[in-house]
Amino acid sequence: MWFFSGRSRNRFSLDNLRSNGSSGYRSLTDQLVKVQIVNEVNKDFVIEAIRSIAELITYGDQHDDATFFELFMEKQVMGEFVRILKITRTLAVSLQLLQTVSILIQNLENEHALYYLFSNEYMNYLITYSFDFRNHDLLSYYISFLRAISRKLDKNTISLLVKTENDEVVSFPLYVEAIRFAFHEESMIRTAVRNLTLNIYIVGDDCVNRYVTSAPHADYFLNLVTFLQKQCIDLTQLVSYALKSPTEEITSSIFAAVDEIEDSLYYFSDVMSAGIPDVGRLMTDNLLQLLIFPILVPSLTIKAVNDMRSGIVTSLYLLCCILRIVKTKDLANVIAAALLCPLEAFISQSLAKTNGYMPAHECSHDIKVDAISSNFDDSNSSGTSQTHPVDFVENGCDYSRLALRETLLYYVTSGDDVQVLGSLCVLATLLQTKELDESMLDALGILPQRKQHKRLLLEALVGEGPSEEQLFSLESNSMRENIGSELDRYLLKLKEKYGVECSFRDVASPHVHRFQVLDALVSLFCRSNISAETLWEGGWLLRQLLSYSEAEFKSDHLKLLNESYKHCAAAMLQEVRGVWPDLLLSVLCDEWKKCKRAIEASSPRKQPKSILLSSQKSTEGLGESTVSAGERMCELVKVFVLLYQLQTFSLGKALPDQPPINPPVHVYENVRAKTAAVDSLGPKAGSELKLVDAIPCRIAFERGKERHFFFLPISRGMSGWVVLAEELPLKRSYGVVRIAAPLAGSNPRIDSKHSRWLHLRIRPSTLPSADLSKSGVSGQTKTKALVDGRWTLAFKDEESCKCALSMILEEMSVQVEEVERRLKPLLDIKTNSVHNSNEPESESSYTTPSNSL
């Protein structure tokens, strides 16, 4: 510690302490007593005296020598410190006093020494002293001083810092003065105050607990939520700016705002779990009445001005955060019950008008909302089939009649990528919220199948459940009664406590709600304008709902999944003839394992903040380059893998660890590769090969510097290369490889004006996205866009040029055939007639690149 560095240990001996010299303890205190005013003349002495006394006391405490502190008490040094503070005229002395007392509190371990420091109102005087907090350093020292006190609090020491009347606390300066800075502009100070208050709450003193929850001190908990409300509104504004014109500065501001909000919520959680019942109730009520009901919930179904999505995006993110971080039973179940209510139940509490939104009835009438749940005839369900279509108003905008859970499902089926991801995150968060009653999950339609069966099995075992025949039916009377009682209780609480009216009779059967969720998820997998990452989140949710059986899949579900899979498989076949067939299989195997892990994981891959990050994604730069084609290929593969695995799962089959593809052939019968003596690793720069079929050509990589090469296209298995080699002067018909570029995606064509010129496009040998992931580059970092290479080869005559083109097309065909052979079990390739490369590419739901990019 700073007060021991460079000092002689002898100065801490008892003899030295009692000596008559100026370095003695008595001499220090006696001289301090004589000081009548502290100014620029004597401030250095006073500072050194205060520092030395603290060093001596701390040394004595750490070496179990009570003599030091006895002298400290004998001389009433704490009283002298207070007197010095009163008469000082310099900032430096105030700083030193605060630092000295903080160090004493932190380092003294002796109980009696701490009791002395906290007694006689010395601490309370220092706490309530009118410091000039316009000085930033002084405020920092003061907050550190308060926090040091709070760290030493227990049921004994806290009583020394409060004033009581009739066994009730009437004054607690430490708490009152600290929360004055709870909303300071500097985050470090806010954090210190929060730590201090938690140190007070966890002491568990009943009198102090009643004090902090009484008026006017209970306003602190109201102000906390008000402050969070402001943070949320600021975040919405930042997201709105980012949607209009995303910049690195705005993105950084969003990250900072997200961190602040999550810190606030973690603090709320700590406060509510500190064991003070009234505080938990206050925080829950304030969160619901000031933030969730008036702002977040209405924002989900109110159309933003200028069609901005910022309100929806931030509301979805914040609902996820609140449920994940603030883990209380009442809060979770009230939010879940609120999602079953229509928007009109919250309209009166909404701040929509004042926050830049317009109500639903003012929105444009050219929006058509289709029903999520249509009539169905489910042969697997027990009892009579019921129909409960969602009461959307077609060609109108009466969103107020739409239940909030139905709004989430509407976003899943019809929203953009961010709205889909946000809605899936909310549903996944609800499903994983342990504080939420299973009956509430069932009412929302998202109770996992395994939990349904577990509950029914337990009821059957104790003789309280349904008969054996009904054990695995989708819904039983006992379940319905249980759900009704639980839901009624929370809906009644919504009405009586929060003024939100929604009766249980307005809520459809959980059986219907469950099929609405399944319908929405299956519809999601048929959408072509949603990113693969978001679809994977939907795949995870579906696997959670139906973990081991296809019993709840309707025939319509299976048909839709199969049609979507066929569309995607057709797009995959087109991709085989695209720009990256040589890497298609490796990407597929990699994504297969990732997707299987993702949808079988215990929790979803995406964190709530990914909702905001998705809104920052830009499609700028996705032109018609081979790099953008590679990105689209990877995206398509991810979607295909998900659909294949979901289809396998829907049929009740187990997912293999590896995709079902044909193994590679050990010996390839490619004549040209064998003739050129190319080994299994392919042609490398500097390696030798035979130039039997090679064609002489010229190419200029720099202006005015033409070079002579032998041109040779080669394929081996799924790999292929365009080789430029130089003939060895002493070894006829042999050459050394100078350049080997990928064959796939070369898009060969003869120049329309110069029949001896052959144009080739040269793409990277690896996917840039793979390189970035290996090097650990963040997805947010801007990288320089890669430009495709262009070669123009000049041959000696037109015939040679045509021969070169024919060789390239032949090798590309061999390469494609091998990729198709490997993928045949996965794509169920039965005939190549409909995929003839000479025919124009058929349109698909998934846009894939062709050789004519």
Side-chain angles (χ1 to χ4, degrees):
M1 289 177 285
W2 63 267
F3 42 80
F4 292 128
S5 60
R7 309 273 184 167
S8 169
R9 187 181 174 96
N10 291 334
R11 69 189 296 272
F12 296 115
S13 66
L14 190 61
D15 292 337
N16 185 52
L17 178 67
R18 294 185 175 278
S19 67
N20 294 323
S22 59
S23 62
Y25 184 84
R26 293 181 185 276
S27 177
L28 277 175
T29 54
D30 289 344
Q31 290 185 51
L32 204 58
V33 170
K34 295 176 182 178
V35 175
Q36 298 302 311
I37 189 170
V38 180
N39 51 32
E40 294 297 323
V41 176
N42 62 352
K43 71 173 183 179
D44 291 340
F45 161 73
V46 173
I47 290 173
E48 183 59 31
I50 293 171
R51 183 187 293 121
S52 297
I53 290 172
E55 291 173 354
L56 293 169
I57 298 303
T58 305
Y59 176 82
D61 183 80
Q62 292 179 348
H63 290 79
D64 298 323
D65 191 340
T67 310
F68 289 82
F69 201 81
E70 288 174 2
L71 287 174
F72 182 82
M73 292 187 291
E74 177 188 330
K75 289 292 184 175
Q76 292 288 311
V77 176
M78 276 302 298
E80 279 304 305
F81 285 173
V82 169
R83 186 184 70 83
I84 291 295
L85 184 62
K86 291 178 180 178
I87 62 175
T88 187
R89 302 288 177 83
T90 63
L91 177 66
V93 173
S94 298
L95 290 172
Q96 185 59 54
L97 265 173
L98 286 174
Q99 186 185 43
T100 296
V101 177
S102 297
I103 290 171
L104 283 174
I105 295 170
Q106 291 172 22
N107 289 280
L108 290 181
E109 300 295 336
N110 185 282
E111 260 189 20
H112 298 296
L114 278 175
Y115 290 162
Y116 172 77
L117 285 179
F118 286 0
S119 61
N120 300 319
E121 288 295 306
Y122 294 136
M123 285 300 159
N124 281 342
Y125 181 84
L126 293 176
I127 291 169
T128 56
Y129 186 78
S130 298
F131 292 102
D132 184 4
F133 292 126
R134 290 175 296 181
N135 183 279
H136 182 269
D137 290 338
L138 185 60
L139 177 59
S140 298
Y141 276 73
Y142 178 75
I143 295 298
S144 296
F145 162 64
L146 298 184
R147 187 167 56 177
I149 296 174
S150 72
R151 286 173 175 166
K152 296 293 184 177
L153 293 180
D154 56 32
K155 289 192 174 181
N156 294 320
T157 55
I158 200 170
S159 62
L160 301 173
L161 299 173
V162 300
K163 292 181 181 179
T164 60
E165 291 180 6
N166 300 322
D167 293 331
E168 291 295 330
V169 175
V170 295
S171 174
F172 190 6
L174 175 64
Y175 184 76
V176 172
E177 294 301 318
I179 61 177
R180 284 176 54 205
F181 302 97
F183 310 106
H184 193 271
E185 60 184 9
E186 189 175 329
S187 62
M188 293 294 290
I189 291 177
R190 294 199 302 270
T191 301
V193 172
R194 290 175 179 180
N195 289 336
L196 182 151
T197 56
L198 287 175
N199 289 338
I200 291 173
Y201 300 150
I202 62 177
V203 169
D205 186 280
D206 293 338
C207 294
V208 172
N209 290 348
R210 288 195 295 272
Y211 177 81
V212 299
T213 54
S214 63
H217 313 295
D219 288 346
Y220 171 63
F221 304 108
L222 176 68
N223 295 335
L224 280 174
V225 180
T226 303
F227 184 72
L228 175 64
Q229 183 191 69
K230 181 181 180 301
Q231 289 179 312
C232 295
I233 293 172
D234 290 344
L235 176 62
T236 302
Q237 194 68 38
L238 286 172
V239 173
S240 177
Y241 290 149
L243 288 169
K244 294 176 185 176
S245 55
T247 63
E248 287 187 2
E249 184 179 356
I250 291 180
T251 301
S252 299
S253 298
I254 289 176
F255 274 113
V258 164
D259 289 341
E260 289 283 346
I261 287 172
E262 293 188 0
D263 285 346
S264 295
L265 289 174
Y266 278 114
Y267 174 62
F268 288 5
S269 179
D270 291 340
V271 170
M272 296 168 78
S273 61
I276 311 175
D278 286 342
V279 169
R281 177 186 55 78
L282 282 172
M283 296 295 288
T284 298
D285 291 348
N286 289 336
L287 277 171
L288 290 168
Q289 293 175 320
L290 295 179
L291 181 63
I292 296 172
F293 290 160
I295 296 178
L296 301 188
V297 168
S299 295
L300 297 179
T301 53
I302 294 178
K303 186 174 175 63
V305 173
N306 297 325
D307 202 28
M308 296 305 295
R309 302 168 297 163
S310 55
I312 297 172
V313 172
T314 51
S315 293
L316 293 170
Y317 157 72
L318 290 167
L319 279 176
C320 289
C321 274
I322 291 170
L323 288 167
R324 283 180 179 234
I325 297 174
V326 187
K327 298 181 178 298
T328 63
K329 182 180 176 66
D330 262 2
L331 183 63
N333 283 280
V334 169
I335 291 175
L339 292 178
L340 294 163
C341 300
L343 173 64
E344 59 189 4
F346 302 91
I347 289 294
S348 60
Q349 302 185 39
S350 175
L351 300 178
K353 281 275 188 183
T354 58
N355 282 318
Y357 297 94
M358 56 176 148
H361 64 269
E362 293 181 8
C363 68
S364 170
H365 283 268
D366 47 354
I367 297 175
K368 181 176 179 179
V369 185
D370 297 321
I372 293 173
S373 180
S374 57
N375 297 349
F376 62 87
D377 180 14
D378 181 25
S379 58
N380 294 323
S381 62
S382 59
T384 305
S385 177
Q386 300 180 13
T387 59
H388 293 272
V390 180
D391 294 327
F392 289 89
V393 180
E394 295 189 20
N395 296 318
C397 289
D398 193 5
Y399 295 124
S400 62
R401 295 181 58 192
L402 194 64
L404 293 168
R405 63 169 293 280
E406 292 164 354
T407 301
L408 296 178
L409 298 183
Y410 167 69
Y411 286 141
V412 170
T413 59
S414 305
D416 59 32
D417 196 84
V418 180
Q419 292 165 348
V420 172
L421 178 60
S423 300
L424 291 174
C425 281
V426 171
L427 293 173
T429 303
L430 286 165
L431 189 148
Q432 288 205 301
T433 302
K434 295 179 180 178
E435 293 74 23
L436 202 59
D437 287 335
E438 287 187 3
S439 58
M440 298 300 293
L441 287 176
D442 210 5
L444 291 169
I446 55 173
L447 180 66
Q449 190 182 53
R450 65 181 182 279
K451 290 187 177 181
Q452 279 187 337
H453 290 184
K454 180 181 177 182
R455 185 169 63 182
L456 287 170
L457 182 61
L458 288 174
E459 290 176 357
L461 289 174
V462 298
E464 297 177 357
S467 64
E468 185 177 350
E469 291 78 12
Q470 294 176 309
L471 182 58
F472 292 103
S473 65
L474 294 176
E475 188 174 32
S476 66
N477 289 331
S478 61
M479 287 174 61
R480 192 180 298 109
E481 289 171 4
N482 184 43
I483 293 167
S485 61
E486 285 295 314
L487 185 57
D488 268 339
R489 184 160 67 88
Y490 285 107
L491 291 176
L492 184 63
K493 189 169 189 175
L494 277 173
K495 178 181 177 181
E496 294 182 348
K497 194 168 187 178
Y498 305 111
V500 177
E501 191 160 357
C502 176
S503 63
F504 180 69
R505 64 177 177 274
D506 297 331
V507 180
S509 161
H511 179 48
V512 173
H513 283 181
R514 185 173 183 80
F515 270 105
Q516 287 179 350
V517 175
L518 293 179
D519 287 346
L521 289 175
V522 173
S523 296
L524 171 64
F525 301 134
C526 298
R527 298 183 62 184
S528 60
N529 59 341
I530 301 301
S531 69
E533 292 287 326
T534 299
L535 292 177
W536 281 18
E537 295 301 301
W540 179 88
L541 183 58
L542 184 67
R543 284 300 304 265
Q544 292 296 308
L545 297 179
L546 306 174
S547 55
Y548 55 82
S549 171
E550 76 279 12
E552 289 193 52
F553 276 110
K554 298 184 296 181
S555 59
D556 286 347
H557 293 158
L558 297 174
K559 181 180 178 182
L560 287 171
L561 284 176
N562 188 50
E563 288 178 355
S564 184
Y565 162 75
K566 286 182 177 178
H567 266 296
C568 201
M572 284 284 288
L573 280 174
Q574 293 179 26
E575 196 62 51
V576 170
R577 290 170 174 76
V579 181
W580 298 85
D582 48 339
L583 297 183
L584 182 61
L585 196 65
S586 63
V587 171
L588 188 142
C589 292
D590 187 42
E591 296 300 338
W592 179 279
K593 290 183 279 189
K594 289 180 182 178
C595 184
K596 187 174 185 292
R597 284 197 302 266
I599 65 176
E600 292 181 347
S602 58
S603 58
R605 299 165 70 240
K606 297 280 189 179
Q607 294 298 314
K609 68 177 65 176
S610 64
I611 303 170
L612 302 176
L613 299 181
S614 295
S615 68
Q616 307 304 303
K617 289 181 180 177
S618 173
T619 57
E620 265 183 52
L622 290 182
E624 294 302 322
S625 68
T626 58
V627 173
S628 60
E631 291 174 355
R632 288 194 294 269
M633 183 269 287
C634 291
E635 185 78 0
L636 173 63
V637 170
K638 289 180 180 179
V639 176
F640 172 80
V641 165
L642 174 67
L643 292 175
Y644 189 96
Q645 294 188 3
L646 288 179
Q647 191 180 45
T648 303
F649 166 70
S650 69
L651 297 175
K653 300 177 181 178
L655 282 179
D657 292 330
Q658 298 290 339
I661 56 177
N662 284 326
V665 176
H666 294 295
V667 180
Y668 290 100
E669 298 297 332
N670 185 291
V671 177
R672 189 167 287 118
K674 184 183 293 186
T675 304
V678 174
D679 60 21
S680 58
L681 298 177
K684 302 293 181 183
S687 62
E688 288 188 11
L689 79 168
K690 291 182 180 180
L691 301 177
V692 177
D693 295 329
I695 304 174
C697 68
R698 292 173 290 119
I699 185 173
F701 292 111
E702 298 180 51
R703 186 180 295 275
K705 294 184 179 180
E706 196 174 72
R707 298 179 64 181
H708 292 262
F709 290 106
F710 278 83
F711 168 79
L712 183 65
I714 302 172
S715 66
R716 186 178 179 87
M718 295 189 302
S719 301
W721 304 269
V722 175
V723 177
L724 296 182
E726 288 182 334
E727 187 177 23
L728 292 172
L730 301 179
K731 200 172 183 181
R732 301 288 295 177
S733 299
Y734 277 87
V736 59
V737 176
R738 295 305 181 194
I739 303 172
L743 175 66
S746 57
N747 192 25
R749 64 180 180 86
I750 295 176
D751 191 274
S752 58
K753 296 181 180 179
H754 302 83
S755 58
R756 295 184 297 120
W757 291 3
L758 180 65
H759 297 290
L760 298 179
R761 177 182 57 188
I762 305 301
R763 46 142 256 231
S765 57
T766 59
L767 287 164
S769 56
D771 294 337
L772 290 177
S773 62
K774 288 178 182 176
S775 60
V777 177
S778 171
Q780 300 164 27
T781 305
K782 287 191 175 180
T783 55
K784 187 177 180 179
L786 294 176
V787 180
D788 294 334
R790 301 287 174 179
W791 288 1
T792 300
L793 304 174
F795 295 89
K796 64 180 181 179
D797 52 38
E798 182 179 342
E799 189 63 30
S800 297
C801 187
K802 288 181 178 180
C803 183
L805 175 62
S806 177
M807 289 168 63
I808 290 182
L809 295 177
E810 181 183 340
E811 293 301 313
M812 290 175 69
S813 178
V814 172
Q815 184 181 25
V816 165
E817 285 174 4
E818 175 59 18
V819 177
E820 283 187 347
R821 187 194 67 80
R822 296 289 303 278
L823 294 175
K824 184 175 181 179
L826 196 66
L827 298 178
D828 193 24
I829 301 173
K830 297 177 181 178
T831 175
N832 290 331
S833 61
V834 294
H835 306 294
N836 194 313
S837 60
N838 295 324
E839 297 178 3
E841 294 180 354
S842 60
E843 292 186 2
S844 167
S845 298
Y846 300 90
T847 304
T848 55
S850 67
N851 277 333
S852 60
L853 285 175

